[in-house]
Amino acid sequence: MSADAEAPKDEKPAAADRRSFLDLLIRGGLLAGAGAMAAPTVAYLWPARAGGGKTAKVSAGPVKDFPVGSARMVQAEGKPIIVIRAAEDRFRAFSAICTHLGCVVKWDSGSGKIRCPCHAGVFGTDGKQVSGPPPRALSEYEVSIVGGEVVVTL
Ligand code: FES
């Protein structure tokens, strides 16, 4: 046989290599595309499966410097929080954002109430609306005493 007769045999393995390479490329592209489409869904669902996301803790200062009947404003994650010492062993923390139109509420030590300066909304030390236009109570946060500090958990 001549060398010309063997030439097509050499081309078939090269064509098969090209074909398998293209198959591999297409499968890899499809797999990468599927991964790219699934990644945002997995990222969205991951915190929910882990228990609802992160929690933040912020100190409102030492218990000894927090007289009964007083309140403090603290910030956590950009949110104003009002912390009240309603009794000797009773601390409560609420979002300081009024549930009416979002003004920042303030503690009124004279009346022992939380007041909104915008439309005269009034809340009790339990965070529930007492009078005025606020449609619902202030959101409450957990308070604990850790090493003599008043700690609010968001
Ligand atoms: S915003 Fe607080 S009473 Fe209107």
Side-chain angles (χ1 to χ4, degrees), residues 98 100-103 116 118-121 133-134:
C98 181
H100 179 222
L101 293 177
C103 290
C116 179
C118 293
H119 310 103

PDB file of all heavy atoms in Angstrom, residues 98 100-103 116 118-121 133-134, ligand 1:
ATOM      1  N   CYS A  98     -41.370  54.885  64.910  1.00  0.00           N
ATOM      2  CA  CYS A  98     -42.815  54.917  65.135  1.00  0.00           C
ATOM      3  C   CYS A  98     -43.536  54.110  64.053  1.00  0.00           C
ATOM      4  O   CYS A  98     -43.181  54.171  62.874  1.00  0.00           O
ATOM      5  CB  CYS A  98     -43.299  56.373  65.119  1.00  0.00           C
ATOM      6  SG  CYS A  98     -45.069  56.540  65.413  1.00  0.00           S
ATOM      7  N   HIS A 100     -46.403  54.634  62.961  1.00  0.00           N
ATOM      8  CA  HIS A 100     -47.303  55.444  62.147  1.00  0.00           C
ATOM      9  C   HIS A 100     -46.623  55.820  60.834  1.00  0.00           C
ATOM     10  O   HIS A 100     -46.876  55.201  59.810  1.00  0.00           O
ATOM     11  CB  HIS A 100     -47.764  56.699  62.930  1.00  0.00           C
ATOM     12  CG  HIS A 100     -48.680  57.583  62.155  1.00  0.00           C
ATOM     13  ND1 HIS A 100     -48.579  58.951  62.169  1.00  0.00           N
ATOM     14  CD2 HIS A 100     -49.711  57.288  61.326  1.00  0.00           C
ATOM     15  CE1 HIS A 100     -49.513  59.466  61.391  1.00  0.00           C
ATOM     16  NE2 HIS A 100     -50.220  58.484  60.871  1.00  0.00           N
ATOM     17  N   LEU A 101     -45.707  56.793  60.882  1.00  0.00           N
ATOM     18  CA  LEU A 101     -45.038  57.218  59.650  1.00  0.00           C
ATOM     19  C   LEU A 101     -43.518  57.193  59.759  1.00  0.00           C
ATOM     20  O   LEU A 101     -42.824  57.807  58.950  1.00  0.00           O
ATOM     21  CB  LEU A 101     -45.515  58.610  59.238  1.00  0.00           C
ATOM     22  CG  LEU A 101     -46.981  58.678  58.795  1.00  0.00           C
ATOM     23  CD1 LEU A 101     -47.382  60.115  58.478  1.00  0.00           C
ATOM     24  CD2 LEU A 101     -47.242  57.789  57.590  1.00  0.00           C
ATOM     25  N   GLY A 102     -43.005  56.522  60.783  1.00  0.00           N
ATOM     26  CA  GLY A 102     -41.569  56.286  60.829  1.00  0.00           C
ATOM     27  C   GLY A 102     -40.708  57.323  61.520  1.00  0.00           C
ATOM     28  O   GLY A 102     -39.485  57.296  61.367  1.00  0.00           O
ATOM     29  N   CYS A 103     -41.278  58.235  62.304  1.00  0.00           N
ATOM     30  CA  CYS A 103     -40.449  59.173  63.069  1.00  0.00           C
ATOM     31  C   CYS A 103     -39.751  58.410  64.208  1.00  0.00           C
ATOM     32  O   CYS A 103     -40.181  57.324  64.589  1.00  0.00           O
ATOM     33  CB  CYS A 103     -41.304  60.282  63.663  1.00  0.00           C
ATOM     34  SG  CYS A 103     -41.952  61.408  62.413  1.00  0.00           S
ATOM     35  N   CYS A 116     -44.001  59.989  70.385  1.00  0.00           N
ATOM     36  CA  CYS A 116     -43.553  60.312  69.039  1.00  0.00           C
ATOM     37  C   CYS A 116     -43.776  61.815  68.832  1.00  0.00           C
ATOM     38  O   CYS A 116     -44.885  62.307  69.018  1.00  0.00           O
ATOM     39  CB  CYS A 116     -44.340  59.519  68.001  1.00  0.00           C
ATOM     40  SG  CYS A 116     -43.806  59.937  66.325  1.00  0.00           S
ATOM     41  N   CYS A 118     -43.814  63.552  66.150  1.00  0.00           N
ATOM     42  CA  CYS A 118     -44.401  63.972  64.863  1.00  0.00           C
ATOM     43  C   CYS A 118     -45.906  64.200  64.929  1.00  0.00           C
ATOM     44  O   CYS A 118     -46.388  65.243  64.499  1.00  0.00           O
ATOM     45  CB  CYS A 118     -44.064  62.963  63.779  1.00  0.00           C
ATOM     46  SG  CYS A 118     -42.301  62.948  63.398  1.00  0.00           S
ATOM     47  N   HIS A 119     -46.650  63.216  65.464  1.00  0.00           N
ATOM     48  CA  HIS A 119     -48.111  63.345  65.475  1.00  0.00           C
ATOM     49  C   HIS A 119     -48.690  62.967  66.833  1.00  0.00           C
ATOM     50  O   HIS A 119     -49.817  62.478  66.920  1.00  0.00           O
ATOM     51  CB  HIS A 119     -48.739  62.478  64.372  1.00  0.00           C
ATOM     52  CG  HIS A 119     -48.120  62.688  63.029  1.00  0.00           C
ATOM     53  ND1 HIS A 119     -47.230  61.803  62.487  1.00  0.00           N
ATOM     54  CD2 HIS A 119     -48.230  63.708  62.155  1.00  0.00           C
ATOM     55  CE1 HIS A 119     -46.817  62.257  61.305  1.00  0.00           C
ATOM     56  NE2 HIS A 119     -47.406  63.407  61.088  1.00  0.00           N
ATOM     57  N   ALA A 120     -47.868  63.138  67.876  1.00  0.00           N
ATOM     58  CA  ALA A 120     -48.313  62.912  69.257  1.00  0.00           C
ATOM     59  C   ALA A 120     -48.728  61.475  69.545  1.00  0.00           C
ATOM     60  O   ALA A 120     -49.601  61.237  70.387  1.00  0.00           O
ATOM     61  CB  ALA A 120     -49.430  63.888  69.625  1.00  0.00           C
ATOM     62  N   GLY A 121     -48.107  60.524  68.887  1.00  0.00           N
ATOM     63  CA  GLY A 121     -48.352  59.126  69.216  1.00  0.00           C
ATOM     64  C   GLY A 121     -47.718  58.799  70.564  1.00  0.00           C
ATOM     65  O   GLY A 121     -46.655  59.316  70.893  1.00  0.00           O
ATOM     66  N   PRO A 133     -52.124  58.298  66.456  1.00  0.00           N
ATOM     67  CA  PRO A 133     -52.344  57.554  65.220  1.00  0.00           C
ATOM     68  C   PRO A 133     -51.546  56.264  65.004  1.00  0.00           C
ATOM     69  O   PRO A 133     -51.845  55.541  64.052  1.00  0.00           O
ATOM     70  CB  PRO A 133     -51.957  58.585  64.143  1.00  0.00           C
ATOM     71  CG  PRO A 133     -50.986  59.493  64.804  1.00  0.00           C
ATOM     72  CD  PRO A 133     -51.384  59.545  66.244  1.00  0.00           C
ATOM     73  N   PRO A 134     -50.533  55.919  65.806  1.00  0.00           N
ATOM     74  CA  PRO A 134     -49.790  54.683  65.495  1.00  0.00           C
ATOM     75  C   PRO A 134     -50.720  53.467  65.423  1.00  0.00           C
ATOM     76  O   PRO A 134     -51.526  53.240  66.335  1.00  0.00           O
ATOM     77  CB  PRO A 134     -48.789  54.553  66.645  1.00  0.00           C
ATOM     78  CG  PRO A 134     -48.557  55.957  67.084  1.00  0.00           C
ATOM     79  CD  PRO A 134     -49.919  56.609  66.942  1.00  0.00           C
TER      80      PRO A 134
HETATM   81  S1  FES B   1     -45.009  59.230  62.940  1.00  0.00           S
HETATM   82 FE1  FES B   1     -45.312  58.812  65.011  1.00  0.00          FE
HETATM   83  S2  FES B   1     -47.320  59.444  65.404  1.00  0.00           S
HETATM   84 FE2  FES B   1     -47.019  59.842  63.322  1.00  0.00          FE
END
